[in-house]
PDB file of all heavy atoms in Angstrom:
ATOM      1  N   GLN A 298     104.419-110.011  10.708  1.00  0.00           N
ATOM      2  CA  GLN A 298     103.299-110.433   9.772  1.00  0.00           C
ATOM      3  C   GLN A 298     102.697-109.297   9.144  1.00  0.00           C
ATOM      4  O   GLN A 298     102.667-108.164   9.679  1.00  0.00           O
ATOM      5  CB  GLN A 298     102.252-111.183  10.601  1.00  0.00           C
ATOM      6  CG  GLN A 298     102.741-112.403  11.410  1.00  0.00           C
ATOM      7  CD  GLN A 298     103.218-113.540  10.461  1.00  0.00           C
ATOM      8  OE1 GLN A 298     102.714-113.534   9.289  1.00  0.00           O
ATOM      9  NE2 GLN A 298     104.169-114.300  10.953  1.00  0.00           N
ATOM     10  N   PRO A 299     102.294-109.533   7.906  1.00  0.00           N
ATOM     11  CA  PRO A 299     101.551-108.402   7.061  1.00  0.00           C
ATOM     12  C   PRO A 299     100.213-108.049   7.647  1.00  0.00           C
ATOM     13  O   PRO A 299      99.574-107.085   7.116  1.00  0.00           O
ATOM     14  CB  PRO A 299     101.653-109.002   5.717  1.00  0.00           C
ATOM     15  CG  PRO A 299     101.592-110.436   5.864  1.00  0.00           C
ATOM     16  CD  PRO A 299     102.342-110.769   7.177  1.00  0.00           C
ATOM     17  N   TYR A 300      99.746-108.880   8.377  1.00  0.00           N
ATOM     18  CA  TYR A 300      98.366-108.657   8.947  1.00  0.00           C
ATOM     19  C   TYR A 300      98.207-108.203  10.310  1.00  0.00           C
ATOM     20  O   TYR A 300      97.685-108.903  11.243  1.00  0.00           O
ATOM     21  CB  TYR A 300      97.353-109.831   8.707  1.00  0.00           C
ATOM     22  CG  TYR A 300      97.469-110.374   7.324  1.00  0.00           C
ATOM     23  CD1 TYR A 300      98.152-111.551   6.830  1.00  0.00           C
ATOM     24  CD2 TYR A 300      96.670-109.784   6.316  1.00  0.00           C
ATOM     25  CE1 TYR A 300      98.225-112.006   5.635  1.00  0.00           C
ATOM     26  CE2 TYR A 300      96.765-110.205   4.981  1.00  0.00           C
ATOM     27  CZ  TYR A 300      97.447-111.304   4.667  1.00  0.00           C
ATOM     28  OH  TYR A 300      97.525-111.760   3.310  1.00  0.00           O
ATOM     29  N   GLY A 301      98.912-107.204  10.603  1.00  0.00           N
ATOM     30  CA  GLY A 301      98.967-106.719  12.022  1.00  0.00           C
ATOM     31  C   GLY A 301      97.631-106.223  12.534  1.00  0.00           C
ATOM     32  O   GLY A 301      97.391-106.510  13.689  1.00  0.00           O
ATOM     33  N   GLY A 302      96.778-105.694  11.839  1.00  0.00           N
ATOM     34  CA  GLY A 302      95.545-105.269  12.219  1.00  0.00           C
ATOM     35  C   GLY A 302      94.643-106.448  12.705  1.00  0.00           C
ATOM     36  O   GLY A 302      93.963-106.425  13.544  1.00  0.00           O
ATOM     37  N   PHE A 303      94.755-107.616  11.788  1.00  0.00           N
ATOM     38  CA  PHE A 303      94.129-108.757  12.195  1.00  0.00           C
ATOM     39  C   PHE A 303      94.465-109.317  13.419  1.00  0.00           C
ATOM     40  O   PHE A 303      93.806-109.892  14.339  1.00  0.00           O
ATOM     41  CB  PHE A 303      94.157-109.803  11.075  1.00  0.00           C
ATOM     42  CG  PHE A 303      93.668-111.071  11.495  1.00  0.00           C
ATOM     43  CD1 PHE A 303      92.185-111.276  11.349  1.00  0.00           C
ATOM     44  CD2 PHE A 303      94.475-112.149  11.644  1.00  0.00           C
ATOM     45  CE1 PHE A 303      91.725-112.549  11.782  1.00  0.00           C
ATOM     46  CE2 PHE A 303      93.910-113.455  11.971  1.00  0.00           C
ATOM     47  CZ  PHE A 303      92.430-113.517  12.031  1.00  0.00           C
ATOM     48  N   LEU A 304      95.829-109.436  13.761  1.00  0.00           N
ATOM     49  CA  LEU A 304      96.365-109.999  14.909  1.00  0.00           C
ATOM     50  C   LEU A 304      96.136-109.096  16.204  1.00  0.00           C
ATOM     51  O   LEU A 304      95.844-109.725  17.305  1.00  0.00           O
ATOM     52  CB  LEU A 304      98.006-110.101  14.787  1.00  0.00           C
ATOM     53  CG  LEU A 304      98.438-111.166  13.883  1.00  0.00           C
ATOM     54  CD1 LEU A 304      99.977-111.105  13.773  1.00  0.00           C
ATOM     55  CD2 LEU A 304      97.953-112.446  14.334  1.00  0.00           C
ATOM     56  N   SER A 305      95.913-107.865  15.926  1.00  0.00           N
ATOM     57  CA  SER A 305      95.560-106.999  17.143  1.00  0.00           C
ATOM     58  C   SER A 305      94.149-107.403  17.542  1.00  0.00           C
ATOM     59  O   SER A 305      93.792-107.235  18.714  1.00  0.00           O
ATOM     60  CB  SER A 305      95.652-105.485  16.890  1.00  0.00           C
ATOM     61  OG  SER A 305      94.645-105.196  15.783  1.00  0.00           O
ATOM     62  N   LYS A 306      93.361-107.869  16.692  1.00  0.00           N
ATOM     63  CA  LYS A 306      91.926-108.265  16.928  1.00  0.00           C
ATOM     64  C   LYS A 306      91.938-109.724  17.608  1.00  0.00           C
ATOM     65  O   LYS A 306      91.176-109.962  18.460  1.00  0.00           O
ATOM     66  CB  LYS A 306      91.014-108.234  15.775  1.00  0.00           C
ATOM     67  CG  LYS A 306      90.846-106.855  15.243  1.00  0.00           C
ATOM     68  CD  LYS A 306      89.908-106.811  14.013  1.00  0.00           C
ATOM     69  CE  LYS A 306      89.700-105.465  13.474  1.00  0.00           C
ATOM     70  NZ  LYS A 306      88.958-105.376  12.252  1.00  0.00           N
ATOM     71  N   VAL A 307      92.876-110.500  17.037  1.00  0.00           N
ATOM     72  CA  VAL A 307      92.961-111.806  17.639  1.00  0.00           C
ATOM     73  C   VAL A 307      93.469-111.894  19.087  1.00  0.00           C
ATOM     74  O   VAL A 307      92.948-112.619  19.988  1.00  0.00           O
ATOM     75  CB  VAL A 307      93.877-112.776  16.783  1.00  0.00           C
ATOM     76  CG1 VAL A 307      94.151-114.095  17.526  1.00  0.00           C
ATOM     77  CG2 VAL A 307      93.278-112.887  15.316  1.00  0.00           C
ATOM     78  N   TYR A 308      94.347-110.926  19.408  1.00  0.00           N
ATOM     79  CA  TYR A 308      94.916-110.783  20.749  1.00  0.00           C
ATOM     80  C   TYR A 308      94.401-109.515  21.423  1.00  0.00           C
ATOM     81  O   TYR A 308      95.202-108.502  21.557  1.00  0.00           O
ATOM     82  CB  TYR A 308      96.474-110.773  20.703  1.00  0.00           C
ATOM     83  CG  TYR A 308      96.964-111.947  20.072  1.00  0.00           C
ATOM     84  CD1 TYR A 308      97.369-112.018  18.828  1.00  0.00           C
ATOM     85  CD2 TYR A 308      97.166-113.289  20.943  1.00  0.00           C
ATOM     86  CE1 TYR A 308      97.957-113.289  18.181  1.00  0.00           C
ATOM     87  CE2 TYR A 308      97.671-114.442  20.437  1.00  0.00           C
ATOM     88  CZ  TYR A 308      98.067-114.408  19.009  1.00  0.00           C
ATOM     89  OH  TYR A 308      98.554-115.559  18.434  1.00  0.00           O
ATOM     90  N   PRO A 309      93.187-109.418  21.909  1.00  0.00           N
ATOM     91  CA  PRO A 309      92.677-108.122  22.503  1.00  0.00           C
ATOM     92  C   PRO A 309      93.354-107.830  23.694  1.00  0.00           C
ATOM     93  O   PRO A 309      93.346-106.755  24.132  1.00  0.00           O
ATOM     94  CB  PRO A 309      91.181-108.388  22.690  1.00  0.00           C
ATOM     95  CG  PRO A 309      91.182-109.963  22.821  1.00  0.00           C
ATOM     96  CD  PRO A 309      92.203-110.499  21.896  1.00  0.00           C
ATOM     97  N   ALA A 310      93.954-108.877  24.441  1.00  0.00           N
ATOM     98  CA  ALA A 310      94.691-108.547  25.735  1.00  0.00           C
ATOM     99  C   ALA A 310      95.792-107.667  25.586  1.00  0.00           C
ATOM    100  O   ALA A 310      96.157-106.924  26.481  1.00  0.00           O
ATOM    101  CB  ALA A 310      95.113-109.808  26.312  1.00  0.00           C
ATOM    102  N   ALA A 311      96.454-107.563  24.360  1.00  0.00           N
ATOM    103  CA  ALA A 311      97.566-106.650  24.241  1.00  0.00           C
ATOM    104  C   ALA A 311      97.121-105.188  24.216  1.00  0.00           C
ATOM    105  O   ALA A 311      97.840-104.332  24.634  1.00  0.00           O
ATOM    106  CB  ALA A 311      98.217-106.980  22.777  1.00  0.00           C
ATOM    107  N   ARG A 312      95.899-104.949  23.805  1.00  0.00           N
ATOM    108  CA  ARG A 312      95.306-103.649  23.729  1.00  0.00           C
ATOM    109  C   ARG A 312      94.759-103.245  25.150  1.00  0.00           C
ATOM    110  O   ARG A 312      94.862-102.069  25.535  1.00  0.00           O
ATOM    111  CB  ARG A 312      94.412-103.405  22.685  1.00  0.00           C
ATOM    112  CG  ARG A 312      94.824-103.670  21.192  1.00  0.00           C
ATOM    113  CD  ARG A 312      93.766-103.541  20.251  1.00  0.00           C
ATOM    114  NE  ARG A 312      92.708-104.554  20.575  1.00  0.00           N
ATOM    115  CZ  ARG A 312      91.505-104.382  20.047  1.00  0.00           C
ATOM    116  NH1 ARG A 312      91.115-103.375  19.174  1.00  0.00           N
ATOM    117  NH2 ARG A 312      90.633-105.283  20.224  1.00  0.00           N
ATOM    118  N   ALA A 313      94.260-104.314  25.877  1.00  0.00           N
ATOM    119  CA  ALA A 313      93.465-103.888  27.032  1.00  0.00           C
ATOM    120  C   ALA A 313      94.360-103.984  28.356  1.00  0.00           C
ATOM    121  O   ALA A 313      93.993-103.634  29.406  1.00  0.00           O
ATOM    122  CB  ALA A 313      92.341-104.954  27.252  1.00  0.00           C
ATOM    123  N   ALA A 314      95.570-104.607  28.212  1.00  0.00           N
ATOM    124  CA  ALA A 314      96.547-104.616  29.294  1.00  0.00           C
ATOM    125  C   ALA A 314      96.839-103.393  29.959  1.00  0.00           C
ATOM    126  O   ALA A 314      97.261-102.429  29.185  1.00  0.00           O
ATOM    127  CB  ALA A 314      97.611-105.455  29.044  1.00  0.00           C
ATOM    128  N   PRO A 315      96.708-103.113  31.258  1.00  0.00           N
ATOM    129  CA  PRO A 315      97.032-101.803  31.764  1.00  0.00           C
ATOM    130  C   PRO A 315      98.467-101.682  32.012  1.00  0.00           C
ATOM    131  O   PRO A 315      99.219-102.775  32.084  1.00  0.00           O
ATOM    132  CB  PRO A 315      96.321-101.877  33.175  1.00  0.00           C
ATOM    133  CG  PRO A 315      96.248-103.360  33.476  1.00  0.00           C
ATOM    134  CD  PRO A 315      96.040-103.990  32.223  1.00  0.00           C
ATOM    135  N   PRO A 316      99.059-100.587  31.909  1.00  0.00           N
ATOM    136  CA  PRO A 316     100.484-100.271  31.987  1.00  0.00           C
ATOM    137  C   PRO A 316     101.018-100.761  33.434  1.00  0.00           C
ATOM    138  O   PRO A 316     100.240-100.796  34.309  1.00  0.00           O
ATOM    139  CB  PRO A 316     100.753 -98.890  31.787  1.00  0.00           C
ATOM    140  CG  PRO A 316      99.443 -98.297  32.016  1.00  0.00           C
ATOM    141  CD  PRO A 316      98.457 -99.215  31.647  1.00  0.00           C
ATOM    142  N   TYR A 317     102.296-101.015  33.532  1.00  0.00           N
ATOM    143  CA  TYR A 317     102.855-101.434  34.813  1.00  0.00           C
ATOM    144  C   TYR A 317     102.639-100.355  35.857  1.00  0.00           C
ATOM    145  O   TYR A 317     102.468-100.656  36.972  1.00  0.00           O
ATOM    146  CB  TYR A 317     104.267-101.833  34.678  1.00  0.00           C
ATOM    147  CG  TYR A 317     105.006-102.023  36.023  1.00  0.00           C
ATOM    148  CD1 TYR A 317     104.899-103.191  36.691  1.00  0.00           C
ATOM    149  CD2 TYR A 317     105.924-101.027  36.411  1.00  0.00           C
ATOM    150  CE1 TYR A 317     105.558-103.347  37.939  1.00  0.00           C
ATOM    151  CE2 TYR A 317     106.536-101.250  37.643  1.00  0.00           C
ATOM    152  CZ  TYR A 317     106.289-102.382  38.353  1.00  0.00           C
ATOM    153  OH  TYR A 317     106.930-102.540  39.567  1.00  0.00           O
ATOM    154  N   SER A 318     102.930 -99.157  35.495  1.00  0.00           N
ATOM    155  CA  SER A 318     102.927 -97.972  36.426  1.00  0.00           C
ATOM    156  C   SER A 318     101.556 -97.836  37.071  1.00  0.00           C
ATOM    157  O   SER A 318     101.315 -97.572  38.272  1.00  0.00           O
ATOM    158  CB  SER A 318     103.295 -96.637  35.718  1.00  0.00           C
ATOM    159  OG  SER A 318     102.378 -96.410  34.642  1.00  0.00           O
ATOM    160  N   GLU A 319     100.451 -98.128  36.228  1.00  0.00           N
ATOM    161  CA  GLU A 319      99.078 -97.936  36.719  1.00  0.00           C
ATOM    162  C   GLU A 319      98.934 -99.125  37.814  1.00  0.00           C
ATOM    163  O   GLU A 319      98.220 -98.857  38.801  1.00  0.00           O
ATOM    164  CB  GLU A 319      98.075 -98.022  35.640  1.00  0.00           C
ATOM    165  CG  GLU A 319      96.658 -97.999  36.116  1.00  0.00           C
ATOM    166  CD  GLU A 319      95.582 -98.162  34.993  1.00  0.00           C
ATOM    167  OE1 GLU A 319      96.135 -98.020  33.818  1.00  0.00           O
ATOM    168  OE2 GLU A 319      94.449 -98.401  35.280  1.00  0.00           O
ATOM    169  N   LEU A 320      99.332-100.378  37.437  1.00  0.00           N
ATOM    170  CA  LEU A 320      99.152-101.435  38.402  1.00  0.00           C
ATOM    171  C   LEU A 320      99.902-101.223  39.821  1.00  0.00           C
ATOM    172  O   LEU A 320      99.375-101.332  40.863  1.00  0.00           O
ATOM    173  CB  LEU A 320      99.583-102.739  37.768  1.00  0.00           C
ATOM    174  CG  LEU A 320      98.583-103.371  36.902  1.00  0.00           C
ATOM    175  CD1 LEU A 320      99.185-104.597  36.072  1.00  0.00           C
ATOM    176  CD2 LEU A 320      97.242-103.804  37.620  1.00  0.00           C
ATOM    177  N   HIS A 321     101.125-100.744  39.508  1.00  0.00           N
ATOM    178  CA  HIS A 321     102.009-100.528  40.686  1.00  0.00           C
ATOM    179  C   HIS A 321     101.543 -99.260  41.699  1.00  0.00           C
ATOM    180  O   HIS A 321     101.548 -99.540  42.921  1.00  0.00           O
ATOM    181  CB  HIS A 321     103.450-100.341  40.233  1.00  0.00           C
ATOM    182  CG  HIS A 321     104.411-100.102  41.419  1.00  0.00           C
ATOM    183  ND1 HIS A 321     104.680-101.105  42.319  1.00  0.00           N
ATOM    184  CD2 HIS A 321     105.118 -99.049  41.802  1.00  0.00           C
ATOM    185  CE1 HIS A 321     105.536-100.606  43.204  1.00  0.00           C
ATOM    186  NE2 HIS A 321     105.754 -99.343  42.957  1.00  0.00           N
ATOM    187  N   ASP A 322     101.187 -98.290  41.019  1.00  0.00           N
ATOM    188  CA  ASP A 322     100.845 -97.101  41.809  1.00  0.00           C
ATOM    189  C   ASP A 322      99.569 -97.261  42.453  1.00  0.00           C
ATOM    190  O   ASP A 322      99.319 -96.796  43.712  1.00  0.00           O
ATOM    191  CB  ASP A 322     100.723 -95.807  40.899  1.00  0.00           C
ATOM    192  CG  ASP A 322     102.173 -95.530  40.365  1.00  0.00           C
ATOM    193  OD1 ASP A 322     103.160 -95.919  40.986  1.00  0.00           O
ATOM    194  OD2 ASP A 322     102.114 -94.922  39.216  1.00  0.00           O
ATOM    195  N   ASP A 323      98.483 -97.810  41.928  1.00  0.00           N
ATOM    196  CA  ASP A 323      97.189 -98.025  42.508  1.00  0.00           C
ATOM    197  C   ASP A 323      97.044 -99.271  43.303  1.00  0.00           C
ATOM    198  O   ASP A 323      95.961 -99.568  43.985  1.00  0.00           O
ATOM    199  CB  ASP A 323      96.097 -98.052  41.437  1.00  0.00           C
ATOM    200  CG  ASP A 323      96.145 -96.518  40.623  1.00  0.00           C
ATOM    201  OD1 ASP A 323      96.483 -95.603  41.305  1.00  0.00           O
ATOM    202  OD2 ASP A 323      95.474 -96.567  39.696  1.00  0.00           O
ATOM    203  N   HIS A 324      98.187-100.157  43.432  1.00  0.00           N
ATOM    204  CA  HIS A 324      98.041-101.269  44.133  1.00  0.00           C
ATOM    205  C   HIS A 324      96.811-102.273  43.691  1.00  0.00           C
ATOM    206  O   HIS A 324      96.151-102.769  44.506  1.00  0.00           O
ATOM    207  CB  HIS A 324      97.938-101.067  45.631  1.00  0.00           C
ATOM    208  CG  HIS A 324      99.060-100.285  46.256  1.00  0.00           C
ATOM    209  ND1 HIS A 324     100.461-100.513  45.998  1.00  0.00           N
ATOM    210  CD2 HIS A 324      98.976 -99.076  46.804  1.00  0.00           C
ATOM    211  CE1 HIS A 324     101.039 -99.610  46.724  1.00  0.00           C
ATOM    212  NE2 HIS A 324     100.253 -98.745  47.128  1.00  0.00           N
ATOM    213  N   LEU A 325      96.782-102.441  42.424  1.00  0.00           N
ATOM    214  CA  LEU A 325      95.640-103.233  41.833  1.00  0.00           C
ATOM    215  C   LEU A 325      96.283-104.669  41.919  1.00  0.00           C
ATOM    216  O   LEU A 325      97.253-104.848  41.887  1.00  0.00           O
ATOM    217  CB  LEU A 325      95.242-102.795  40.540  1.00  0.00           C
ATOM    218  CG  LEU A 325      94.672-101.422  40.296  1.00  0.00           C
ATOM    219  CD1 LEU A 325      94.343-101.117  38.787  1.00  0.00           C
ATOM    220  CD2 LEU A 325      93.384-101.279  41.092  1.00  0.00           C
ATOM    221  N   GLY A 326      95.121-105.548  42.044  1.00  0.00           N
ATOM    222  CA  GLY A 326      95.437-107.018  42.016  1.00  0.00           C
ATOM    223  C   GLY A 326      94.153-107.866  42.191  1.00  0.00           C
ATOM    224  O   GLY A 326      93.210-107.323  42.382  1.00  0.00           O
TER     225      GLY A 326
END
């Protein structure tokens, strides 16, 4: 889509999601 900046605001979970390594190493859940 040509409005990537707008979509990044619509889907804030994409920016706030922690990486897999952080979840696995620290045993978060």
Side-chain angles (χ1 to χ4, degrees):
Q298 300 295 333
Y300 303 104
F303 173 74
L304 287 176
S305 63
K306 296 180 181 179
V307 173
Y308 300 98
R312 298 178 299 164
Y317 168 77
S318 59
E319 179 181 347
L320 280 171
H321 178 69
D322 294 339
D323 295 340
H324 303 304
L325 297 178

